[in-house]
Amino acid sequence: MSTSELASKAEQLKLSENLVYVDETAGNDESGNGTKEAPYKTALSAVTLVANMPEEKQETFKIMVKKADSNEYAEITASALKKAKNAHKIAEKKAKKQAEQAAKDQAQLKAKQLEEQRKLEESKQIKLVLDESLPEPKLIRIKDATENRGQRVKVFGWVNRLRVQGKDMMFIVLRDGTGYLQCVLTNTLCHTFDALTLTLESTVVLYGVVDKLPEGKTAPGGHELTVDYWEVVGKAPGGDDAITNKVSAESDPSIQYQQRHLVIRGDTASAVLKVRSRVMRAFRDHFDSAGYFEVTPPCMVQTQVEGGSTLFSFNYYGEQAYLTQSSQLYLETCLPSMGAVYTMAESYRAEKSHTRRHLSEYTHCEAEIPFISFNDLLDCIENMVKDVVNRVWAEPETRSMIEQLNPDFKPYTEPFVRMRYEEAIKWLNDNGVKHEDGSDYVFGEDIPESPERAMTNKIGKPILLTHFPGPIKAFYMPATKEDPRVTESVDLLMPGVGEIVGGSMRIWDHEDLLAAYKREGLDTAPYYWYLDQRKYGTCPHGGFGLGVERFLAWLLDRYTVRECCLYPRFVDRCQP
């Protein structure tokens, strides 16, 4: 409490009583005022109050104390009063010293602010001039810096990092989407108004020579740009609106999703998105090399594939329509005209799931292949995953980003584990993975995400989990001949993520498919075009769907698939 507040409190006392009360049990130094109704807790507070009274009043006051073991107030003892007075003197000296230091700090801060303001005003008079006698710069992107070492260049980008060293040197790590470049500015280049007020994420253009760094020094690419001229293209805000105040790695996830447009500028997020681009290309290259054709099915449909409860519906010119759950049915119609086909398109699932591997909108890599067996299908899935990994691993830049994000990753060379659903149920029970109530898993029930992931992580290898019971799989999956209880179906499970691929053979007999529709209670009328595939030259065929975000979460060791797409859409999130 300040001296003025104490003096005011002293004036408010009933001076006619001339007593200050201290109750060591029930008193309160913060809310008390020294009266019998509101006593202090310590003698120090009472002494401090009296010391702030007018001098002629101080000697007339007595301090009355009620000890913890007493019910009555008694005048403070001489020794206790002396001790309290000494403590008050020490506190006064400390407060005086703190006040003097605060005043000194304030004066220094004001002097510093004045000096900075003076420098800023002086900096406005400094104008950089492009030296026309220097060689004409070559406009490059950062990724081309190595092949342009030793010559004068011009490069645009964003200020990714900024460091001032002394008064005559400044380092900028520039980012342009193709890479990072350390740039050094010296002398007058550091003294301009733009230099003194430069902020992270400002866009700049820099001129200079790219030189290889000497031994022992490090920077992105092993070189740096020695700048001879520069300009600000677009200055980003500082202060409260600075990007570091808008979002950081420690921010709450809800803030990070709301500021996703800024988060993706970060080193980690941009690396994930760059690897995603290369992975998408690798999938296309894999299918192209295997003789598949890419098709682009509609995303607005009037049929379901994975169950009506997860459909997003909308009004389509007065008719009910849905966002597609899967392009599988349309891919199957292409088999007679194009052979094996695939698509890389968005799928939509309206399941209100908050798990770290679910999205409402995700990129779906789907394929359908004619004239294959179930074992052929398993081989297709395994070969695809291995080939895509090998393709991105073979690119030095992409491999570097994968190793940055997932240092322990190594491509799988051994065959994937192949396990039947019935074997998985036995494995869970044998290894103590139970229901929450402690009961065993039984044949016929779906294996939830948590035990599925526990099994996959314990085994530590990719698992092609096959032959699921018909009632827990989609209507178009055929029963096996040797055991009609189970279907020719498969999920590919990956350590750390769980399921990333779901696939099966498709019912290819017309009558069997009609029976499946009847069993599921589906109206066949909207599916006339799909049923026609079984009338006009049917054939055994199968296919699969892979979630690209789940594949990336496995490849890059990301905790959630939400990190693996540009702007994630999930329950209660549809912006920015």
Side-chain angles (χ1 to χ4, degrees), residues 352-380:
K352 293 183 178 179
S353 177
H354 291 273
T355 76
R356 57 193 175 105
R357 66 178 193 175
H358 280 88
L359 290 166
S360 298
E361 176 187 57
Y362 66 98
T363 303
H364 211 174
C365 172
E366 299 183 86
E368 291 293 323
I369 313 103
F371 302 108
I372 61 169
S373 67
F374 184 54
N375 283 331
D376 293 333
L377 178 65
L378 300 185
D379 291 339
C380 285

PDB file of all heavy atoms in Angstrom, residues 352-380:
ATOM      1  N   LYS A 352     -19.726 -37.214 -36.762  1.00  0.00           N
ATOM      2  CA  LYS A 352     -19.315 -36.265 -35.733  1.00  0.00           C
ATOM      3  C   LYS A 352     -18.239 -36.884 -34.858  1.00  0.00           C
ATOM      4  O   LYS A 352     -18.438 -37.151 -33.672  1.00  0.00           O
ATOM      5  CB  LYS A 352     -20.516 -35.818 -34.915  1.00  0.00           C
ATOM      6  CG  LYS A 352     -21.507 -34.996 -35.733  1.00  0.00           C
ATOM      7  CD  LYS A 352     -22.661 -34.487 -34.890  1.00  0.00           C
ATOM      8  CE  LYS A 352     -23.595 -33.636 -35.737  1.00  0.00           C
ATOM      9  NZ  LYS A 352     -24.749 -33.119 -34.979  1.00  0.00           N
ATOM     10  N   SER A 353     -17.095 -37.096 -35.463  1.00  0.00           N
ATOM     11  CA  SER A 353     -15.984 -37.735 -34.777  1.00  0.00           C
ATOM     12  C   SER A 353     -14.890 -36.709 -34.515  1.00  0.00           C
ATOM     13  O   SER A 353     -14.517 -35.945 -35.400  1.00  0.00           O
ATOM     14  CB  SER A 353     -15.426 -38.878 -35.639  1.00  0.00           C
ATOM     15  OG  SER A 353     -14.314 -39.452 -35.015  1.00  0.00           O
ATOM     16  N   HIS A 354     -14.388 -36.691 -33.268  1.00  0.00           N
ATOM     17  CA  HIS A 354     -13.357 -35.727 -32.883  1.00  0.00           C
ATOM     18  C   HIS A 354     -11.980 -36.391 -32.765  1.00  0.00           C
ATOM     19  O   HIS A 354     -11.085 -35.822 -32.137  1.00  0.00           O
ATOM     20  CB  HIS A 354     -13.713 -35.077 -31.538  1.00  0.00           C
ATOM     21  CG  HIS A 354     -14.901 -34.166 -31.612  1.00  0.00           C
ATOM     22  ND1 HIS A 354     -14.797 -32.835 -31.954  1.00  0.00           N
ATOM     23  CD2 HIS A 354     -16.215 -34.400 -31.403  1.00  0.00           C
ATOM     24  CE1 HIS A 354     -15.999 -32.280 -31.937  1.00  0.00           C
ATOM     25  NE2 HIS A 354     -16.886 -33.209 -31.617  1.00  0.00           N
ATOM     26  N   THR A 355     -11.794 -37.561 -33.346  1.00  0.00           N
ATOM     27  CA  THR A 355     -10.508 -38.231 -33.206  1.00  0.00           C
ATOM     28  C   THR A 355      -9.448 -37.531 -34.058  1.00  0.00           C
ATOM     29  O   THR A 355      -9.766 -36.752 -34.954  1.00  0.00           O
ATOM     30  CB  THR A 355     -10.578 -39.706 -33.622  1.00  0.00           C
ATOM     31  OG1 THR A 355     -10.604 -39.798 -35.056  1.00  0.00           O
ATOM     32  CG2 THR A 355     -11.813 -40.378 -33.056  1.00  0.00           C
ATOM     33  N   ARG A 356      -8.207 -37.854 -33.777  1.00  0.00           N
ATOM     34  CA  ARG A 356      -7.110 -37.179 -34.486  1.00  0.00           C
ATOM     35  C   ARG A 356      -6.894 -37.703 -35.900  1.00  0.00           C
ATOM     36  O   ARG A 356      -6.028 -37.208 -36.617  1.00  0.00           O
ATOM     37  CB  ARG A 356      -5.817 -37.304 -33.679  1.00  0.00           C
ATOM     38  CG  ARG A 356      -5.358 -38.713 -33.343  1.00  0.00           C
ATOM     39  CD  ARG A 356      -4.256 -38.647 -32.291  1.00  0.00           C
ATOM     40  NE  ARG A 356      -3.820 -39.930 -31.811  1.00  0.00           N
ATOM     41  CZ  ARG A 356      -2.679 -40.508 -32.153  1.00  0.00           C
ATOM     42  NH1 ARG A 356      -1.876 -39.916 -33.001  1.00  0.00           N
ATOM     43  NH2 ARG A 356      -2.336 -41.668 -31.655  1.00  0.00           N
ATOM     44  N   ARG A 357      -7.693 -38.706 -36.321  1.00  0.00           N
ATOM     45  CA  ARG A 357      -7.518 -39.214 -37.680  1.00  0.00           C
ATOM     46  C   ARG A 357      -8.767 -39.020 -38.547  1.00  0.00           C
ATOM     47  O   ARG A 357      -8.891 -39.625 -39.595  1.00  0.00           O
ATOM     48  CB  ARG A 357      -7.109 -40.687 -37.649  1.00  0.00           C
ATOM     49  CG  ARG A 357      -8.144 -41.647 -37.118  1.00  0.00           C
ATOM     50  CD  ARG A 357      -7.628 -43.068 -37.189  1.00  0.00           C
ATOM     51  NE  ARG A 357      -8.703 -44.036 -36.964  1.00  0.00           N
ATOM     52  CZ  ARG A 357      -8.550 -45.352 -37.059  1.00  0.00           C
ATOM     53  NH1 ARG A 357      -7.372 -45.846 -37.370  1.00  0.00           N
ATOM     54  NH2 ARG A 357      -9.558 -46.165 -36.853  1.00  0.00           N
ATOM     55  N   HIS A 358      -9.691 -38.159 -38.093  1.00  0.00           N
ATOM     56  CA  HIS A 358     -10.912 -37.927 -38.864  1.00  0.00           C
ATOM     57  C   HIS A 358     -11.016 -36.487 -39.349  1.00  0.00           C
ATOM     58  O   HIS A 358     -10.709 -35.544 -38.627  1.00  0.00           O
ATOM     59  CB  HIS A 358     -12.155 -38.256 -38.026  1.00  0.00           C
ATOM     60  CG  HIS A 358     -12.457 -39.720 -37.953  1.00  0.00           C
ATOM     61  ND1 HIS A 358     -11.917 -40.528 -36.996  1.00  0.00           N
ATOM     62  CD2 HIS A 358     -13.239 -40.513 -38.729  1.00  0.00           C
ATOM     63  CE1 HIS A 358     -12.355 -41.778 -37.176  1.00  0.00           C
ATOM     64  NE2 HIS A 358     -13.147 -41.786 -38.222  1.00  0.00           N
ATOM     65  N   LEU A 359     -11.463 -36.344 -40.590  1.00  0.00           N
ATOM     66  CA  LEU A 359     -11.768 -35.053 -41.188  1.00  0.00           C
ATOM     67  C   LEU A 359     -13.143 -35.136 -41.842  1.00  0.00           C
ATOM     68  O   LEU A 359     -13.569 -36.212 -42.256  1.00  0.00           O
ATOM     69  CB  LEU A 359     -10.731 -34.677 -42.250  1.00  0.00           C
ATOM     70  CG  LEU A 359      -9.323 -34.325 -41.775  1.00  0.00           C
ATOM     71  CD1 LEU A 359      -8.360 -34.315 -42.957  1.00  0.00           C
ATOM     72  CD2 LEU A 359      -9.303 -32.984 -41.056  1.00  0.00           C
ATOM     73  N   SER A 360     -13.826 -34.012 -41.941  1.00  0.00           N
ATOM     74  CA  SER A 360     -15.108 -33.985 -42.650  1.00  0.00           C
ATOM     75  C   SER A 360     -14.894 -33.909 -44.154  1.00  0.00           C
ATOM     76  O   SER A 360     -15.753 -34.324 -44.936  1.00  0.00           O
ATOM     77  CB  SER A 360     -15.950 -32.791 -42.183  1.00  0.00           C
ATOM     78  OG  SER A 360     -16.233 -32.901 -40.808  1.00  0.00           O
ATOM     79  N   GLU A 361     -13.766 -33.369 -44.563  1.00  0.00           N
ATOM     80  CA  GLU A 361     -13.380 -33.298 -45.975  1.00  0.00           C
ATOM     81  C   GLU A 361     -11.938 -33.777 -46.074  1.00  0.00           C
ATOM     82  O   GLU A 361     -11.078 -33.275 -45.347  1.00  0.00           O
ATOM     83  CB  GLU A 361     -13.490 -31.856 -46.479  1.00  0.00           C
ATOM     84  CG  GLU A 361     -13.007 -31.672 -47.913  1.00  0.00           C
ATOM     85  CD  GLU A 361     -12.982 -30.196 -48.320  1.00  0.00           C
ATOM     86  OE1 GLU A 361     -12.301 -29.396 -47.640  1.00  0.00           O
ATOM     87  OE2 GLU A 361     -13.646 -29.853 -49.301  1.00  0.00           O
ATOM     88  N   TYR A 362     -11.695 -34.737 -46.935  1.00  0.00           N
ATOM     89  CA  TYR A 362     -10.331 -35.258 -47.047  1.00  0.00           C
ATOM     90  C   TYR A 362     -10.038 -35.655 -48.488  1.00  0.00           C
ATOM     91  O   TYR A 362     -10.955 -35.845 -49.301  1.00  0.00           O
ATOM     92  CB  TYR A 362     -10.119 -36.451 -46.109  1.00  0.00           C
ATOM     93  CG  TYR A 362     -10.922 -37.680 -46.436  1.00  0.00           C
ATOM     94  CD1 TYR A 362     -10.367 -38.737 -47.157  1.00  0.00           C
ATOM     95  CD2 TYR A 362     -12.246 -37.794 -46.022  1.00  0.00           C
ATOM     96  CE1 TYR A 362     -11.109 -39.868 -47.466  1.00  0.00           C
ATOM     97  CE2 TYR A 362     -12.997 -38.930 -46.322  1.00  0.00           C
ATOM     98  CZ  TYR A 362     -12.423 -39.958 -47.038  1.00  0.00           C
ATOM     99  OH  TYR A 362     -13.156 -41.073 -47.341  1.00  0.00           O
ATOM    100  N   THR A 363      -8.770 -35.751 -48.801  1.00  0.00           N
ATOM    101  CA  THR A 363      -8.365 -36.147 -50.143  1.00  0.00           C
ATOM    102  C   THR A 363      -8.329 -37.669 -50.228  1.00  0.00           C
ATOM    103  O   THR A 363      -7.631 -38.327 -49.460  1.00  0.00           O
ATOM    104  CB  THR A 363      -6.996 -35.556 -50.504  1.00  0.00           C
ATOM    105  OG1 THR A 363      -7.071 -34.137 -50.379  1.00  0.00           O
ATOM    106  CG2 THR A 363      -6.614 -35.917 -51.932  1.00  0.00           C
ATOM    107  N   HIS A 364      -9.093 -38.191 -51.183  1.00  0.00           N
ATOM    108  CA  HIS A 364      -9.322 -39.622 -51.300  1.00  0.00           C
ATOM    109  C   HIS A 364      -8.643 -40.129 -52.570  1.00  0.00           C
ATOM    110  O   HIS A 364      -8.998 -39.732 -53.673  1.00  0.00           O
ATOM    111  CB  HIS A 364     -10.832 -39.862 -51.392  1.00  0.00           C
ATOM    112  CG  HIS A 364     -11.290 -41.155 -50.819  1.00  0.00           C
ATOM    113  ND1 HIS A 364     -12.624 -41.483 -50.703  1.00  0.00           N
ATOM    114  CD2 HIS A 364     -10.607 -42.232 -50.336  1.00  0.00           C
ATOM    115  CE1 HIS A 364     -12.737 -42.684 -50.155  1.00  0.00           C
ATOM    116  NE2 HIS A 364     -11.529 -43.153 -49.937  1.00  0.00           N
ATOM    117  N   CYS A 365      -7.651 -40.975 -52.392  1.00  0.00           N
ATOM    118  CA  CYS A 365      -7.014 -41.627 -53.537  1.00  0.00           C
ATOM    119  C   CYS A 365      -7.694 -42.985 -53.700  1.00  0.00           C
ATOM    120  O   CYS A 365      -7.538 -43.872 -52.857  1.00  0.00           O
ATOM    121  CB  CYS A 365      -5.521 -41.795 -53.270  1.00  0.00           C
ATOM    122  SG  CYS A 365      -4.675 -42.787 -54.520  1.00  0.00           S
ATOM    123  N   GLU A 366      -8.451 -43.149 -54.798  1.00  0.00           N
ATOM    124  CA  GLU A 366      -9.224 -44.373 -55.002  1.00  0.00           C
ATOM    125  C   GLU A 366      -8.873 -45.011 -56.339  1.00  0.00           C
ATOM    126  O   GLU A 366      -8.571 -44.306 -57.312  1.00  0.00           O
ATOM    127  CB  GLU A 366     -10.721 -44.055 -54.963  1.00  0.00           C
ATOM    128  CG  GLU A 366     -11.183 -43.470 -53.639  1.00  0.00           C
ATOM    129  CD  GLU A 366     -12.672 -43.237 -53.614  1.00  0.00           C
ATOM    130  OE1 GLU A 366     -13.421 -44.177 -53.283  1.00  0.00           O
ATOM    131  OE2 GLU A 366     -13.099 -42.103 -53.931  1.00  0.00           O
ATOM    132  N   ALA A 367      -8.929 -46.333 -56.366  1.00  0.00           N
ATOM    133  CA  ALA A 367      -8.608 -47.062 -57.590  1.00  0.00           C
ATOM    134  C   ALA A 367      -9.534 -48.269 -57.733  1.00  0.00           C
ATOM    135  O   ALA A 367      -9.995 -48.845 -56.736  1.00  0.00           O
ATOM    136  CB  ALA A 367      -7.152 -47.523 -57.574  1.00  0.00           C
ATOM    137  N   GLU A 368      -9.805 -48.635 -58.967  1.00  0.00           N
ATOM    138  CA  GLU A 368     -10.579 -49.840 -59.290  1.00  0.00           C
ATOM    139  C   GLU A 368      -9.857 -50.591 -60.405  1.00  0.00           C
ATOM    140  O   GLU A 368      -9.385 -49.973 -61.367  1.00  0.00           O
ATOM    141  CB  GLU A 368     -11.997 -49.487 -59.742  1.00  0.00           C
ATOM    142  CG  GLU A 368     -12.891 -48.927 -58.635  1.00  0.00           C
ATOM    143  CD  GLU A 368     -13.224 -49.930 -57.543  1.00  0.00           C
ATOM    144  OE1 GLU A 368     -13.411 -51.118 -57.877  1.00  0.00           O
ATOM    145  OE2 GLU A 368     -13.287 -49.521 -56.370  1.00  0.00           O
ATOM    146  N   ILE A 369      -9.772 -51.903 -60.239  1.00  0.00           N
ATOM    147  CA  ILE A 369      -8.998 -52.724 -61.172  1.00  0.00           C
ATOM    148  C   ILE A 369      -9.839 -53.923 -61.618  1.00  0.00           C
ATOM    149  O   ILE A 369     -10.367 -54.668 -60.774  1.00  0.00           O
ATOM    150  CB  ILE A 369      -7.694 -53.247 -60.519  1.00  0.00           C
ATOM    151  CG1 ILE A 369      -6.958 -52.109 -59.789  1.00  0.00           C
ATOM    152  CG2 ILE A 369      -6.793 -53.883 -61.560  1.00  0.00           C
ATOM    153  CD1 ILE A 369      -7.109 -52.125 -58.300  1.00  0.00           C
ATOM    154  N   PRO A 370      -9.967 -54.153 -62.929  1.00  0.00           N
ATOM    155  CA  PRO A 370     -10.761 -55.289 -63.415  1.00  0.00           C
ATOM    156  C   PRO A 370      -9.944 -56.577 -63.479  1.00  0.00           C
ATOM    157  O   PRO A 370      -8.708 -56.545 -63.544  1.00  0.00           O
ATOM    158  CB  PRO A 370     -11.172 -54.836 -64.819  1.00  0.00           C
ATOM    159  CG  PRO A 370     -10.020 -53.994 -65.273  1.00  0.00           C
ATOM    160  CD  PRO A 370      -9.495 -53.292 -64.045  1.00  0.00           C
ATOM    161  N   PHE A 371     -10.639 -57.709 -63.471  1.00  0.00           N
ATOM    162  CA  PHE A 371     -10.045 -59.030 -63.693  1.00  0.00           C
ATOM    163  C   PHE A 371      -8.895 -59.333 -62.736  1.00  0.00           C
ATOM    164  O   PHE A 371      -7.795 -59.724 -63.151  1.00  0.00           O
ATOM    165  CB  PHE A 371      -9.571 -59.168 -65.146  1.00  0.00           C
ATOM    166  CG  PHE A 371     -10.670 -58.964 -66.151  1.00  0.00           C
ATOM    167  CD1 PHE A 371     -10.711 -57.807 -66.936  1.00  0.00           C
ATOM    168  CD2 PHE A 371     -11.672 -59.912 -66.315  1.00  0.00           C
ATOM    169  CE1 PHE A 371     -11.725 -57.609 -67.853  1.00  0.00           C
ATOM    170  CE2 PHE A 371     -12.698 -59.710 -67.232  1.00  0.00           C
ATOM    171  CZ  PHE A 371     -12.731 -58.559 -68.011  1.00  0.00           C
ATOM    172  N   ILE A 372      -9.132 -59.121 -61.446  1.00  0.00           N
ATOM    173  CA  ILE A 372      -8.107 -59.456 -60.454  1.00  0.00           C
ATOM    174  C   ILE A 372      -8.707 -60.363 -59.399  1.00  0.00           C
ATOM    175  O   ILE A 372      -9.926 -60.474 -59.261  1.00  0.00           O
ATOM    176  CB  ILE A 372      -7.515 -58.198 -59.769  1.00  0.00           C
ATOM    177  CG1 ILE A 372      -8.625 -57.422 -59.028  1.00  0.00           C
ATOM    178  CG2 ILE A 372      -6.774 -57.325 -60.743  1.00  0.00           C
ATOM    179  CD1 ILE A 372      -8.094 -56.321 -58.112  1.00  0.00           C
ATOM    180  N   SER A 373      -7.834 -60.999 -58.622  1.00  0.00           N
ATOM    181  CA  SER A 373      -8.247 -61.796 -57.471  1.00  0.00           C
ATOM    182  C   SER A 373      -8.018 -60.968 -56.200  1.00  0.00           C
ATOM    183  O   SER A 373      -7.395 -59.898 -56.233  1.00  0.00           O
ATOM    184  CB  SER A 373      -7.422 -63.079 -57.394  1.00  0.00           C
ATOM    185  OG  SER A 373      -6.063 -62.758 -57.090  1.00  0.00           O
ATOM    186  N   PHE A 374      -8.478 -61.504 -55.072  1.00  0.00           N
ATOM    187  CA  PHE A 374      -8.300 -60.786 -53.812  1.00  0.00           C
ATOM    188  C   PHE A 374      -6.818 -60.646 -53.469  1.00  0.00           C
ATOM    189  O   PHE A 374      -6.369 -59.588 -53.013  1.00  0.00           O
ATOM    190  CB  PHE A 374      -9.055 -61.504 -52.695  1.00  0.00           C
ATOM    191  CG  PHE A 374      -9.008 -60.779 -51.376  1.00  0.00           C
ATOM    192  CD1 PHE A 374      -9.402 -59.454 -51.265  1.00  0.00           C
ATOM    193  CD2 PHE A 374      -8.560 -61.428 -50.230  1.00  0.00           C
ATOM    194  CE1 PHE A 374      -9.361 -58.785 -50.043  1.00  0.00           C
ATOM    195  CE2 PHE A 374      -8.520 -60.771 -49.015  1.00  0.00           C
ATOM    196  CZ  PHE A 374      -8.911 -59.449 -48.909  1.00  0.00           C
ATOM    197  N   ASN A 375      -6.047 -61.694 -53.713  1.00  0.00           N
ATOM    198  CA  ASN A 375      -4.609 -61.608 -53.451  1.00  0.00           C
ATOM    199  C   ASN A 375      -3.940 -60.573 -54.357  1.00  0.00           C
ATOM    200  O   ASN A 375      -3.000 -59.876 -53.940  1.00  0.00           O
ATOM    201  CB  ASN A 375      -3.940 -62.979 -53.622  1.00  0.00           C
ATOM    202  CG  ASN A 375      -4.202 -63.898 -52.434  1.00  0.00           C
ATOM    203  OD1 ASN A 375      -4.379 -63.439 -51.312  1.00  0.00           O
ATOM    204  ND2 ASN A 375      -4.242 -65.201 -52.687  1.00  0.00           N
ATOM    205  N   ASP A 376      -4.413 -60.475 -55.599  1.00  0.00           N
ATOM    206  CA  ASP A 376      -3.896 -59.438 -56.492  1.00  0.00           C
ATOM    207  C   ASP A 376      -4.148 -58.051 -55.899  1.00  0.00           C
ATOM    208  O   ASP A 376      -3.296 -57.160 -55.967  1.00  0.00           O
ATOM    209  CB  ASP A 376      -4.569 -59.507 -57.861  1.00  0.00           C
ATOM    210  CG  ASP A 376      -4.225 -60.767 -58.637  1.00  0.00           C
ATOM    211  OD1 ASP A 376      -3.137 -61.328 -58.393  1.00  0.00           O
ATOM    212  OD2 ASP A 376      -5.054 -61.201 -59.467  1.00  0.00           O
ATOM    213  N   LEU A 377      -5.344 -57.874 -55.316  1.00  0.00           N
ATOM    214  CA  LEU A 377      -5.702 -56.584 -54.728  1.00  0.00           C
ATOM    215  C   LEU A 377      -4.758 -56.238 -53.577  1.00  0.00           C
ATOM    216  O   LEU A 377      -4.286 -55.104 -53.469  1.00  0.00           O
ATOM    217  CB  LEU A 377      -7.155 -56.627 -54.238  1.00  0.00           C
ATOM    218  CG  LEU A 377      -7.663 -55.348 -53.549  1.00  0.00           C
ATOM    219  CD1 LEU A 377      -7.699 -54.184 -54.519  1.00  0.00           C
ATOM    220  CD2 LEU A 377      -9.037 -55.584 -52.933  1.00  0.00           C
ATOM    221  N   LEU A 378      -4.473 -57.220 -52.728  1.00  0.00           N
ATOM    222  CA  LEU A 378      -3.556 -56.979 -51.607  1.00  0.00           C
ATOM    223  C   LEU A 378      -2.182 -56.574 -52.124  1.00  0.00           C
ATOM    224  O   LEU A 378      -1.538 -55.660 -51.584  1.00  0.00           O
ATOM    225  CB  LEU A 378      -3.450 -58.231 -50.729  1.00  0.00           C
ATOM    226  CG  LEU A 378      -4.748 -58.750 -50.087  1.00  0.00           C
ATOM    227  CD1 LEU A 378      -4.456 -59.923 -49.165  1.00  0.00           C
ATOM    228  CD2 LEU A 378      -5.463 -57.645 -49.335  1.00  0.00           C
ATOM    229  N   ASP A 379      -1.738 -57.245 -53.180  1.00  0.00           N
ATOM    230  CA  ASP A 379      -0.440 -56.900 -53.777  1.00  0.00           C
ATOM    231  C   ASP A 379      -0.455 -55.475 -54.333  1.00  0.00           C
ATOM    232  O   ASP A 379       0.525 -54.739 -54.192  1.00  0.00           O
ATOM    233  CB  ASP A 379      -0.084 -57.886 -54.893  1.00  0.00           C
ATOM    234  CG  ASP A 379       0.234 -59.280 -54.379  1.00  0.00           C
ATOM    235  OD1 ASP A 379       0.561 -59.406 -53.182  1.00  0.00           O
ATOM    236  OD2 ASP A 379       0.149 -60.240 -55.172  1.00  0.00           O
ATOM    237  N   CYS A 380      -1.568 -55.097 -54.967  1.00  0.00           N
ATOM    238  CA  CYS A 380      -1.679 -53.744 -55.532  1.00  0.00           C
ATOM    239  C   CYS A 380      -1.535 -52.682 -54.452  1.00  0.00           C
ATOM    240  O   CYS A 380      -0.829 -51.669 -54.637  1.00  0.00           O
ATOM    241  CB  CYS A 380      -3.028 -53.572 -56.231  1.00  0.00           C
ATOM    242  SG  CYS A 380      -3.167 -54.401 -57.821  1.00  0.00           S
TER     243      CYS A 380
END
